[in-house]
Amino acid sequence: MTPSPQPRRRRLLRAAGALVPLALLVACGGKPAGAAADGPPPTARFSENGVTVTLSVSDWQPSKRTGTLTAVFAPEAAGFHLYSTALPPTGIEGVGRPTAVAVTGTLAADGPLTAAQPVRPIRVPGVDSPVPVYPDGPVTTTLPVRASGSGGSGGSGDGATVLIGYASCSMRDGCTIPVSDHPVRLRVTDGVPAFGTP
C-alpha cells in the first residue's frame, strides 16, 4: 500500500506558512523576537600578554540597577595558570599578581570578587611561602555590581570603567608580563549596561 501524499503536503504547507512571515520581516529590515538590538555589544574581549579576557554583565535588574559582572580569564597557551584573587597586590615575596576585577565611575562593587575555580598552593623555587594559584586553564570570576548616578533615562548613559589585572605563569615555560588596571569602558544607558565598542 502506497502512503497518501496528503499528510506530507500539509506538513510542507505548514512549514512554508511559518517561514513566510519571518522572511518578510527580515526582508523589511526587521528583527525576529529575541534578536539583539543595535547598539553596544553585551560583551567585551581583549587579549594581552598571553591571556584573553571576556567580560559580560548578567542578571541586570534595571529597577535596582544591579547585576553581575563576569570576567573569564583564558590563558592562550596550555599549561599556564593564574593567581588567586586573594593574592596581595605585589604577590608573595614578589611572585605573582592577583587576578583582579575592579570598577570605577558610576559602577561600584556590591560584594566581593569570587572565582569559580578552587585555589591550590604551589611551591616556587626561592620563595619560602606557598603561592595560591588556580588550576591551569581558564578562570571565571564574578563581581556583583551596582550602578549609581543619574539613572541614564535621558539616553546619554552613565560612564564606568572596568579595571582588569592578572599574571599568568607556567611551571615549565615561566611567566608573562603582568597586566595591571587594563581599562574597559562600560556605560549604563537607558538602564541597561553595555560595553563600549573597541
Side-chain angles (χ1 to χ4, degrees), residues 45-54 71-83 99 117 120 133-141 164-171 173-177 179:
R45 179 176 292 154
F46 71 90
S47 295
E48 187 174 354
N49 298 350
V51 176
T52 297
V53 179
T54 304
V72 178
F73 298 81
E76 295 168 353
F80 278 78
H81 59 259
L82 292 142
Y83 294 90
T99 300
Q117 289 70 19
R120 64 182 178 91
V133 301
Y134 297 110
D136 292 355
V139 174
T140 300
T141 63
I164 303 294
Y166 57 86
S168 66
C169 284
S170 164
M171 296 300 285
D173 298 323
C175 299
T176 62
I177 297 170
V179 172

Side-chain angles (χ1 to χ4, degrees), residues 51-75:
V51 176
T52 297
V53 179
T54 304
L55 300 166
S56 62
V57 176
S58 61
D59 303 324
W60 188 256
Q61 298 179 33
S63 62
K64 295 180 180 179
R65 294 174 56 91
T66 61
T68 302
L69 175 63
T70 299
V72 178
F73 298 81

Side-chain angles (χ1 to χ4, degrees), residues 90-119:
T90 58
I92 293 183
E93 298 177 39
V95 174
R97 293 296 181 267
T99 300
V101 178
V103 288
T104 64
T106 58
L107 270 187
D110 203 27
L113 178 67
T114 58
Q117 289 70 19
V119 172

Side-chain angles (χ1 to χ4, degrees), residues 144-194:
V145 293
R146 176 179 301 279
S148 61
S150 63
S153 61
S156 62
D158 296 330
T161 302
V162 180
L163 299 172
I164 303 294
Y166 57 86
S168 66
C169 284
S170 164
M171 296 300 285
R172 186 189 72 199
D173 298 323
C175 299
T176 62
I177 297 170
V179 172
S180 180
D181 293 337
H182 179 105
V184 178
R185 294 288 296 150
L186 177 66
R187 296 185 74 72
V188 180
T189 305
D190 295 326
V192 178

